[in-house]
Amino acid sequence: DGGITQSPKYLFRKEGQNVTLSCEQNLNHDAMYWYRQDPGQGLRLIYYSQIVNDFQKGDIAEGYSVSREKKESFPLTVTSAQKNPTAFYLCASSIRANVLTFGAGSRLTVL
Amino acid sequence: AQSVTQLGSHVSVSEGALVLLRCNYSSSVPPYLFWYVQYPNQGLQLLLKYTSAATLVKGINGFEAEFKKSETSFHLTKPSAHMSDAAEYFCAVPDWGSNFGNEKLTFGTGTRLTIIP
């Protein structure tokens, strides 16, 4: 079945550590996105990528980094510079016409 | 930049009652509007999408939404609530003011729907 796979589903991090969230899609979509979800704040865009080897900052990119070396993969690194990283992270992809397909999410907790 | 406002962060309705979830967009008429649903600890699923082809849009699970330009609204309704409708619902609009054009979606803050047995 085609879809988006995010891993791990749950992740715990100590302060000062970098962590990488995986996002893989087999939908042959060109565009991929990372959103952060916090209670009461909806979804906020972190980074997005339209094509391989190209990506742009979203609204809250500080403390995060991404790469897009393959069409299928768009990993997100949460760096130690992100001061409040505890959140639910959602990866999505799309073809034209704006319809996003989402993964099941990764919940990051800082200990 | 385009934005959407969802009135009511929490809505409770009795099973079998009408569901009404509110969404208003900012002043410019958008080419598309979306409603997504999120069940606990899951990603979002598309409920329905508005294009300019029709003002009344039917989606999955018996939901529908009506685009009203005069009210800048795109409210989501369902005639009879079911226990399985309990979830969080998000309205979204493309932000064509960004360099990314109309493929960047801006989401509302969400409305959590609770169904009372």
Side-chain angles (χ1 to χ4, degrees):
Chain A
D1 287 341
I4 298 179
T5 301
Q6 289 188 239
S7 62
K9 189 167 180 63
Y10 299 95
L11 184 61
F12 298 90
R13 189 193 95 173
K14 294 182 179 179
E15 287 193 26
Q17 285 183 335
N18 293 353
V19 294
T20 297
L21 308 180
S22 170
C23 178
E24 302 280 333
Q25 55 101 355
N26 61 3
L27 299 166
N28 200 32
H29 287 174
D30 289 316
M32 297 188 74
Y33 314 74
W34 275 104
Y35 285 91
R36 171 179 170 144
Q37 185 177 16
D38 297 281
Q41 297 193 47
L43 279 70
R44 293 180 290 168
L45 185 63
I46 304 172
Y47 269 98
Y48 53 92
S49 169
Q50 290 177 282
I51 58 172
V52 174
N53 293 322
D54 188 50
F55 48 83
Q56 289 79 38
K57 294 181 179 180
D59 301 317
I60 56 164
E62 183 175 354
Y64 299 97
S65 66
V66 294
S67 63
R68 187 84 187 278
E69 298 176 359
K70 299 186 300 181
K71 186 176 185 177
E72 302 80 18
S73 179
F74 192 42
L76 174 73
T77 297
V78 184
T79 75
S80 57
Q82 169 52 235
K83 298 307 178 187
N84 186 23
T86 294
F88 191 52
Y89 291 88
L90 288 160
C91 181
S93 68
S94 76
I95 53 175
R96 299 298 298 178
N98 316 114
V99 176
L100 268 60
T101 300
F102 282 85
S106 293
R107 187 169 298 281
L108 172 63
T109 302
V110 173
L111 303 174
Chain B
Q2 270 285 359
S3 64
V4 288
T5 301
Q6 292 184 244
L7 294 178
S9 58
H10 291 86
V11 170
S12 296
V13 302
S14 297
E15 190 174 15
L18 172 71
V19 175
L20 171 60
L21 304 182
R22 300 177 186 274
C23 173
N24 289 87
Y25 60 89
S26 55
S27 57
S28 302
V29 176
Y32 308 104
L33 280 164
F34 303 85
W35 276 100
Y36 283 83
V37 60
Q38 184 182 33
Y39 298 101
N41 294 312
Q42 294 186 25
L44 278 69
Q45 302 174 29
L46 180 68
L47 261 183
L48 51 81
K49 171 184 175 181
Y50 161 78
T51 66
S52 57
T55 57
L56 183 62
V57 184
K58 294 189 182 300
I60 63 172
N61 302 336
F63 283 92
E64 63 182 34
E66 186 172 7
F67 177 80
K68 292 187 176 180
K69 183 178 177 180
S70 61
E71 300 177 6
T72 64
S73 69
F74 189 55
H75 300 332
L76 182 71
T77 61
K78 182 174 180 177
S80 176
H82 191 272
M83 295 299 294
S84 61
D85 295 328
E88 190 155 19
Y89 293 79
F90 293 91
C91 185
V93 65
D95 183 4
W96 65 85
S98 69
N99 292 332
F100 193 26
N102 66 1
E103 291 190 30
K104 174 185 171 185
L105 283 190
T106 296
F107 288 83
T109 52
T111 297
R112 185 169 299 279
L113 177 63
T114 300
I115 310 299
I116 303 167

